[in-house]
Amino acid sequence: MSLSYDLAIIGAGPAGMSAALEAAGLGLSVAIIDEQAAPGGQIFRAVEAAAADPALTGEYARDGAALARRFRAMPNIDYRPETTLWHMDAETGLLSLRGARGSETITAGRVLLATGAQERPVPIPGWTLPGVMTAGAAQILLKQAGAVPKGRTVLAGQGPLLWLLAAQLARAGAAPALLLETTPHGALREAMRAGGLWRGRAMLAKGATLMLEARRAGMKVVRGVRNLRAEGDGALRGVTWDGGSTGCDTLLLHEGVIPSTHITRALGLAHDWDGAQLCWRPTLDEWGASSHPRIAVAGDGGGIGGWQAAVEGGTLAALDAAHRVGKLPAEQRDRRAASHRQARDGALALRPFLDRLYAPAPTVLAPADDATVVCRCEEITAGQVRQAARLGATGPNQAKAYLRAGMGPCQGRMCGTTVAALIAGTRGISMEEAGVLRPRAPYKPITVGELADLPADEAV
Amino acid sequence: MTRQSFDAIVIGGGLVGAAIAYGLQRQGLATLLLDEGDIAFRASRGNFGLVWVQSKGLGAPHYQRWTRGSAQEWPKLAAELKERTGIGTGLQQPGGVHLCLSEEEFGKRGEYMARLQREAGNFGLEYRMVRGAEARDMLPGLGPQVVGMSWTPYDGHASPLYLLRALHTGFTGAGGTYQPNARVEGSSAAPNDFSVEAAGQRYRAPRVVLAAGLGNADLAPRFGLEAPVRPERGQILVTERTQTVLPMPTTTIRQTEEGSLMLGDSKEDAGFNLGQSPEVMRKIAQRAVLSFPWIANLNLVRAWSALRVMAPDGLPIYDQSERFPGAFTANCHSGVTLAGTHANRLAPMIAAGALEPGMAPFSARRFNVRSAA
Amino acid sequence: MFAQRPDIRPATVEVLVDGTPVRVPEGASAAAAVLLAGLPAIRETPVTGAPRLPYCMMGICFDCLAEIDGVANRQSCMVTVRPGMQIRPQRGAREAYRPEGAA
């Protein structure tokens, strides 16, 4: 028989941990499934092992470590690290897992997807060359292994993470040589109109400190960079842009983060195109409840808001879960929610400013150069997608059928939105009209043998 | 001003409709191909990709001949599409096998193939029942539970997706008009005079071909036809790419041109539900591992379900309207296997205005005893 | 290429990267071990044979697929190192099946 829970949470980052703590505290039986070996998600990755690293001071070492400690100390949470969810039957609440205990299924009355964010793909010419990575990848190497890039490092793109990474690498004695900032001239003045600067002043001050720190360590900055290209034959040799070029050993790209919607799309939940953050996000109510009555989404997976908003969102989703399983009357739920809502609003105050300031250029969503690879797995170019759009592909699913774009091991996690944007541009339609790529199970690969070995009575 | 008058309108841009539309346009008929959008049931996108003869048409020799004929037409179609579009369909026809995992299965299969051969009559059907060491020579890594297999030289496989793209590309390249996001909103029928409303336009043609898969059930009566088709769900599992290892396809396992292994052939009555069920997926995986134990180590990277278009007797329906001459329907669940005959034999009949008398057994009138009598 | 900071995270776990011993910190991923070992590519793609190294390090891009302890196509950024782990780059599509007696 499958084990049964009031609440199953997918992802042990800030939202997932916070939801688990709240739900377990309210007496719900909770399972939390996470791909990583330790809690933290991406933002607090390896926080238990790395909090003492002087390069990683600040919120990571302080708030991240504290949250992980509380999470570890809480009894009655069935925490399953190194476990992936490969299928969910939303109607029955049956979750198919693959983990240290092999393949198994559990059932849950309510499911909270706290799958967080992924970095927005930055499909520039040459981005598949060895030596080109995301800024987040370099940060994960720092957190997980204490490792830093060797040789000449260039950061390119925009967003808070880029400056945070620059400062962290500087503290670790590996300051990047150059930051190529793609934010257009004049974006700052435009972004100021979004407001929120006063409520978000602590965050702004933090950002200014990071910038200063990185520049003091010798990092040069070029602003208003356009038309980035990674150069090299079989390995990265350098990077060029309009009006400049430089040699480098490592190029770290970043154009912000977007919700990880792989599972929410596979489940067929309703999604909206977020015109401010330029990404798909699941349609959610004020508690994080999705278009399916069993499923909620909390944290960056429901729209980018950062870890503090994710913590509050996780708590709110847990309160609602407790209410829905009959362990918390509506009036108590609402009363408890008030302070968390307020905290979340505070954490989100600066978001409109950041969204405007760091809005990716149209060429990040739909590369201009037809030769640029957009599907890294099947090595499909922007030009091929445009050709498929002209042939009659009106969305990413038909383009996938025509071209195999999105059919490789990553299942379109990297190219899905790019393909849709290329189709939208070619056919003169909106992103909503182009629609989302609809992946299918298994959400992550399982072997044929593991599937064949599923106990028959559990795989109902 | 977009064109609104055509020689033929084909409703349904899947493999069946695209093959017919390609065949019509190639013959010089100005053809409009109406398709749905990015999210549709699309049996074509879920096709397993066999060009298959040896399990088709027991008790229906006309269907056996039609299928064999299509396998014969396939190389011509593939070569022509490659030449016209540059798109390879990945066709390989090295023969194929049906694996038997028990003596009982092997015995039943032997009887089945013998009967199929008897029904083929003078037309003939070459096959062999292969056992033990010989079977293991033909297919590497066959599992110990495989007792034997049936083999025919006619079977093969191709990429359904490249075929679809090649047909669409060949169709538009020959001057055809492909209109996606064009679900049929309204229609009117008179003998050799039809109009169809879709995508905010009204189109007219003296011929209309209903190839809308499951959508035919609703469309057919508007044109004086019947298409009593219902969905049958099939699920398919796909592994990561591997080096080429399987020299020929089996009924339920094939290695694609890219190197992925496809595992499939489930049948469920699940209505219009496109969900996946771990239990059915498990059974497919189990049978694959019994057939080839090494498959157990391969990662599944994709899986899907699709809805086959099934007539009550499982055979295709090809029909023409008596009331409204010029209206045709084509319904089947073998869009890949039958692409050869659809493009090269059926389309010319439609272009000529009537199905040949030999097609009569495929008419939907076979389900209606009164009108057939 | 990546460098370690042994004063901060001592390299205590020895793994074999393409046959060569490399010591990396506990908690590092197999993908990190490949980057620290300085391999020019973790795989060559099955489509065009293009060289790749890990790109996202968070389980999204699947560019870090490698053979780990004899199992092909594992997401090496999602696998934590263990002593003696064997990590091998992959060239093209994996082998499906090796007939008995074959090398």
Side-chain angles (χ1 to χ4, degrees):
Chain A
M1 268 301 288
S2 302
L3 289 170
S4 187
Y5 300 84
D6 292 325
L7 176 65
I9 301 168
I10 316 302
M17 285 193 283
S18 140
L21 284 165
E22 187 72 23
L26 289 165
L28 274 68
S29 57
V30 179
I32 180 163
I33 290 130
D34 192 59
E35 279 192 308
Q36 302 298 327
Q42 300 305 340
I43 185 101
F44 298 142
R45 171 83 85 117
V47 69
E48 295 161 312
D53 186 335
L56 297 169
T57 53
E59 290 168 358
Y60 176 81
R62 186 182 62 241
D63 306 290
L67 184 57
R69 261 196 310 276
R70 282 177 57 214
F71 176 71
R72 289 280 197 189
M74 186 76 183
N76 304 325
I77 294 175
D78 183 2
Y79 168 50
R80 297 165 178 245
E82 295 185 296
T83 302
T84 55
L85 171 76
W86 63 266
H87 179 259
M88 181 195 314
D89 186 332
E91 303 317 310
T92 60
L94 184 81
L95 310 185
S96 302
L97 311 177
R98 174 203 203 190
R101 309 180 205 177
S103 297
E104 94 180 274
T105 56
I106 62 172
T107 58
R110 189 150 185 82
V111 177
L112 176 64
L113 297 169
T115 49
Q118 68 172 72
E119 284 179 278
R120 181 190 298 281
V122 188
I124 61 168
W127 71 312
T128 55
L129 286 169
V132 183
M133 304 177 86
T134 69
Q139 199 189 40
I140 286 167
L141 281 156
L142 181 64
K143 291 171 178 171
Q144 205 184 47
V148 291
K150 200 158 62 176
R152 190 173 157 81
T153 302
V154 173
L155 308 189
Q158 55 179 347
L161 176 69
L162 211 53
W163 285 101
L164 174 60
L165 177 69
Q168 289 172 333
L169 290 178
R171 288 177 214 152
L178 183 66
L179 188 152
L180 300 170
E181 199 170 48
T182 52
T183 311
H185 299 293
L188 180 62
R189 201 174 19 184
E190 170 63 24
M192 303 278 256
R193 295 186 192 151
L197 299 186
W198 175 249
R199 284 187 76 194
R201 61 192 181 280
M203 247 182 240
L204 279 177
K206 190 179 79 184
T209 311
L210 293 173
M211 291 183 190
L212 195 64
E213 207 178 337
R215 300 184 79 153
R216 276 202 184 130
M219 185 180 78
K220 300 276 180 285
V221 179
V222 179
R223 297 193 188 273
V225 165
R226 297 166 59 164
N227 289 325
L228 277 168
R229 306 177 76 91
E231 305 284 353
D233 182 15
L236 177 70
R237 295 279 169 263
V239 55
T240 66
W241 63 95
D242 282 359
S245 70
T246 185
C248 64
D249 302 294
T250 303
L251 174 62
L252 301 174
L253 301 171
H254 183 74
E255 284 282 352
V257 296
I258 57 175
S260 282
T261 53
H262 193 78
I263 295 174
T264 53
R265 282 182 287 117
L267 288 167
L269 304 183
H271 287 73
D272 299 306
W273 176 253
D274 184 329
Q277 298 192 338
L278 299 176
C279 59
W280 290 103
R281 58 200 286 176
T283 311
L284 305 175
D285 75 3
E286 53 175 352
W287 300 99
S290 77
S291 59
H292 191 282
R294 191 187 297 277
I295 301 167
V297 181
D300 276 359
I304 302 305
W307 72 269
Q308 286 148 314
V311 164
E312 306 304 338
T315 306
L316 291 168
L319 289 170
D320 191 42
H323 169 63
R324 286 175 187 247
V325 303
K327 296 200 171 163
L328 190 67
E331 154 274 319
Q332 279 193 42
R333 174 196 65 176
D334 296 351
R335 190 159 37 79
R336 282 168 186 250
S339 64
H340 296 289
R341 255 186 234 296
Q342 204 176 4
R344 183 169 66 172
D345 291 348
L348 290 174
L350 199 56
R351 193 51 51 180
F353 168 77
L354 293 173
D355 290 344
R356 279 214 209 175
L357 180 60
Y358 294 132
T363 50
V364 173
L365 270 83
D369 182 348
D370 271 346
T372 308
V373 168
V374 296
C375 169
R376 295 173 65 100
C377 297
E378 296 290 329
E379 302 182 59
I380 307 296
T381 64
Q384 286 173 284
V385 176
R386 289 194 173 97
Q387 195 184 14
R390 284 190 290 268
L391 176 60
T394 59
N397 297 290
Q398 188 67 1
K400 176 178 164 185
Y402 278 151
L403 298 174
R404 301 182 63 82
M407 224 178 252
C410 98
Q411 295 192 321
R413 285 171 170 88
M414 294 298 288
C415 71
T417 301
T418 310
V419 168
L422 286 165
I423 292 170
T426 306
R427 297 186 68 90
I429 57 177
S430 66
M431 285 300 282
E432 287 90 340
E433 287 172 284
V436 294
L437 186 66
R438 286 281 297 271
R440 312 297 300 265
Y443 312 142
K444 278 279 178 116
I446 53 167
T447 68
V448 180
E450 286 168 327
L451 179 56
D453 288 344
L454 272 184
D457 60 334
E458 289 193 4
V460 286
Chain B
M1 181 76 192
T2 50
R3 177 173 184 158
Q4 292 180 325
S5 180
F6 293 86
D7 297 328
I9 297 170
V10 178
I11 301 173
L15 285 168
V16 176
I20 295 169
Y22 170 76
L24 294 175
Q25 185 69 40
R26 191 185 48 186
Q27 281 203 221
L29 272 72
T31 302
L32 171 68
L33 180 57
L34 297 175
D35 202 358
E36 288 196 356
D38 196 50
I39 303 284
F41 279 112
R42 295 218 177 267
S44 299
R45 287 205 300 234
N47 194 296
F48 192 63
L50 293 177
V51 177
W52 210 243
V53 171
Q54 70 165 287
S55 309
K56 305 279 177 67
L58 189 72
H62 59 289
Y63 180 39
Q64 195 189 139
R65 281 197 298 280
W66 186 245
T67 298
R68 276 273 290 287
S70 197
Q72 275 167 16
E73 293 293 336
W74 244 104
K76 277 183 269 174
L77 178 67
E80 185 185 292
L81 287 171
K82 172 82 183 170
E83 196 190 315
R84 283 168 172 253
T85 69
I87 299 166
T89 50
L91 174 71
Q92 289 183 34
Q93 293 178 298
V97 297
H98 176 88
L99 302 181
C100 304
L101 297 183
S102 67
E103 281 297 340
E104 191 194 349
E105 274 185 38
F106 188 76
K108 278 191 180 159
R109 187 69 185 177
E111 288 166 25
Y112 177 96
M113 294 306 294
R115 212 181 126 196
L116 213 54
Q117 190 182 49
R118 277 198 304 278
E119 289 178 2
N122 292 337
F123 193 62
L125 175 75
E126 184 186 347
Y127 81 95
R128 285 180 49 220
M129 298 301 294
V130 183
R131 268 187 186 277
E134 192 189 351
R136 273 157 242 285
D137 275 352
M138 285 168 69
L139 286 170
L142 218 47
Q145 285 214 22
V146 179
V147 170
M149 58 202 195
S150 59
W151 170 87
T152 75
Y154 315 108
D155 297 315
H157 55 151
S159 163
L161 301 179
Y162 289 160
L163 172 62
L164 186 66
R165 181 157 68 104
L167 288 170
H168 282 183
T169 307
F171 171 70
T172 52
T177 305
Y178 174 72
Q179 180 66 57
N181 284 337
R183 193 184 168 84
V184 172
E185 308 287 350
S187 61
S188 70
N192 298 308
D193 181 12
F194 303 94
S195 86
V196 174
E197 285 166 51
Q201 301 278 329
R202 177 179 279 275
Y203 301 103
R204 291 183 67 155
R207 292 176 198 79
V208 66
V209 183
L210 311 182
L214 295 164
N216 271 2
D218 286 337
L219 282 173
R222 305 193 210 168
F223 297 88
L225 288 156
E226 279 178 81
V229 288
R230 61 178 174 79
E232 179 189 85
R233 190 166 77 181
Q235 297 191 47
I236 289 175
L237 314 178
V238 185
T239 74
E240 60 205 356
R241 293 173 189 236
T242 76
Q243 291 169 21
T244 301
V245 55
L246 284 186
M248 67 181 74
T250 84
T251 334
T252 58
I253 299 167
R254 77 179 189 97
Q255 187 167 26
T256 68
E257 201 182 16
E258 291 82 18
S260 293
L261 283 129
M262 293 181 64
L263 323 173
D265 203 36
S266 68
K267 294 184 170 76
E268 303 159 76
D269 183 358
F272 284 85
N273 180 351
L274 266 178
Q276 295 164 278
S277 92
E279 174 60 11
V280 172
M281 292 166 75
R282 180 183 69 82
K283 284 183 177 156
I284 295 170
Q286 266 180 345
R287 188 163 178 104
V289 170
L290 289 175
S291 303
F292 298 99
W294 46 267
I295 285 181
N297 297 322
L298 303 184
N299 282 304
L300 289 174
V301 297
R302 285 183 290 133
W304 67 84
S305 63
L307 301 178
R308 293 187 191 91
V309 179
M310 273 291 170
D313 58 4
L315 306 182
I317 302 171
Y318 302 106
D319 220 339
Q320 52 197 339
S321 178
E322 286 186 346
R323 198 164 146 218
F324 306 118
F328 300 86
T329 107
N331 313 267
C332 76
H333 56 84
S334 303
V336 171
T337 298
L338 296 177
T341 37
H342 288 163
N344 292 355
R345 297 189 186 176
L346 183 62
M349 294 183 213
I350 292 168
L355 300 182
E356 288 167 5
M359 299 296 283
F362 287 114
S363 166
R365 270 159 288 186
R366 67 183 187 262
F367 304 115
N368 189 332
V369 180
R370 268 182 309 162
S371 68
Chain C
M1 302 304 113
F2 278 75
Q4 310 206 32
R5 291 151 65 227
D7 46 324
I8 304 296
R9 297 287 296 277
T12 54
V13 183
E14 185 170 289
V15 298
L16 291 163
V17 176
D18 206 10
T20 306
V22 183
R23 291 175 78 87
V24 299
E26 196 181 327
S29 64
V34 169
L35 290 165
L36 289 168
L39 244 54
I42 196 166
R43 68 186 189 111
E44 289 167 5
T45 62
V47 181
T48 65
R52 295 283 171 87
L53 277 175
Y55 175 77
C56 80
M57 291 298 287
M58 54 179 284
I60 301 291
C61 76
F62 286 72
D63 254 325
C64 66
L65 295 175
E67 183 188 305
I68 299 175
D69 288 338
V71 180
N73 276 344
R74 293 189 69 188
Q75 274 190 290
S76 63
C77 75
M78 306 300 288
V79 178
T80 307
V81 290
R82 289 184 176 86
M85 179 178 276
Q86 302 217 28
I87 308 158
R88 286 189 178 280
Q90 291 186 179
R91 294 192 170 79
R94 66 173 286 175
E95 196 172 56
Y97 161 73
R98 187 172 295 185
E100 275 171 50

